[in-house]
């Protein structure tokens, strides 16, 4: 029901229903049933939705509501949790789509082709940017669909490295030790 989606069963029936979908590119990899995102209706907590799932919330008709998600023992996701306004009338079913992208924390050491630490290099994954320390170490958080972009202290750059080349997403961990990552310099 509602935009080609359905939900069987509802904890709080009402004159109208909001279906909250929390979609992910790869589904949920979190096995804790108490973790997820609390659906908040006008700042009041209601049902819990987990990544990759849908939850139905029954509400009174003839009202306008602010719907948002709040993390509750939530796994590491970049979440589109903007507040959405819905107006409900008797029998309405409104489907709200929230997008979640799995985040991974990446810890590694950046080295040059000779194995020497690259100090003060700028390392970026998506929107997260940092600089390597005096030993070439860095920590960043990013999505599996992103890539490591590196600019050295002298202004040079390294060939971009897809995150998928650095981690194994089948391993159930939000944290990956990458070890030494060699910078393959790009000619300018």
């Amino acid at each position: 029901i509602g935009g080609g989606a359905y939900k069987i069963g509802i904890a709080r029936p009402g004159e109208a229903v909001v279906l909250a979908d929390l979609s992910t590119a790869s589904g949920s990899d979190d096995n804790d049933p108490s973790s997820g995102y609390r659906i908040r209706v006008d700042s009041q907590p209601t049902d819990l939705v987990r990544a990759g799932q849908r939850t139905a919330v029954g509400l009174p008709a003839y009202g306008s509501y602010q719907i948002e998600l709040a993390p509750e023992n939530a796994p590491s996701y970049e979440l589109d949790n903007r507040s959405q306004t819905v107006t409900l009338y008797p029998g309405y079913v409104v489907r709200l789509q929230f997008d979640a992208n799995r985040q991974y924390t990446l810890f590694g050491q950046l080295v040059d082709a000779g194995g020497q630490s690259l100090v003060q290099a700028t390392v970026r994954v998506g929107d997260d940017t940092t600089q390597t320390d005096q030993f070439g170490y860095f920590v960043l958080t990013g999505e599996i669909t992103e890539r490591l972009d590196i600019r050295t202290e002298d202004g040079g750059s390294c060939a971009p490295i897809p995150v998928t080349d650095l981690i194994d997403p089948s391993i159930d961990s939000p944290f990956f030790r990458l070890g030494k990552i060699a910078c393959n310099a790009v000619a300018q």
Side-chain angles (χ1 to χ4, degrees):
I1 299 175
Y6 67 92
K7 169 76 172 148
I8 299 174
I10 185 170
R12 296 179 183 89
E15 299 170 308
V17 174
V18 171
L19 288 178
D21 287 338
L22 183 53
S23 66
T24 65
S26 60
S28 177
D29 58 358
D30 181 40
N31 297 321
D32 184 353
S34 68
S35 73
Y37 296 86
R38 185 66 58 186
I39 300 171
R40 298 177 62 87
V41 177
D42 292 336
S43 299
Q44 297 301 310
T46 62
D47 295 344
L48 188 74
V49 63
R50 296 179 62 204
Q53 295 186 343
R54 169 181 302 123
T55 297
V57 178
L59 295 168
Y62 302 111
S64 188
Y65 303 95
Q66 290 290 317
I67 312 292
E68 60 189 357
L69 300 181
E72 191 168 291
N73 189 28
S76 181
Y77 283 94
E78 176 71 26
L79 180 66
D80 167 20
N81 65 347
R82 69 194 183 287
S83 178
Q84 300 184 44
T85 302
V86 297
T87 300
L88 300 176
Y89 296 99
Y92 267 37
V93 176
V94 176
R95 181 177 177 207
L96 299 179
Q97 182 75 38
F98 296 91
D99 296 317
N101 295 307
R102 189 76 165 105
Q103 295 283 293
Y104 298 95
T105 300
L106 310 172
F107 172 71
Q109 183 183 25
L110 191 60
V111 297
D112 64 17
Q116 296 299 309
S117 300
L118 287 176
V119 178
Q120 297 300 308
T122 301
V123 184
R124 183 172 60 90
V125 172
D127 294 331
D128 198 2
T129 303
T130 191
Q131 282 193 316
T132 58
D133 67 10
Q134 70 268 23
F135 303 107
Y137 289 104
F138 67 91
V139 177
L140 286 169
T141 301
E143 298 173 22
I144 194 163
T145 58
E146 296 174 327
R147 64 185 196 179
L148 219 64
D149 290 309
I150 303 161
R151 183 158 300 278
T152 59
E153 184 179 30
D154 63 6
S157 56
C158 306
I161 305 168
V163 171
T164 53
D165 290 357
L166 300 171
I167 68 169
D168 179 357
S170 67
I171 297 173
D172 187 21
S173 175
F175 182 81
F176 285 91
R177 294 180 188 167
L178 306 176
K180 292 185 179 188
I181 299 170
C183 170
N184 295 318
V186 175
Q188 298 199 357

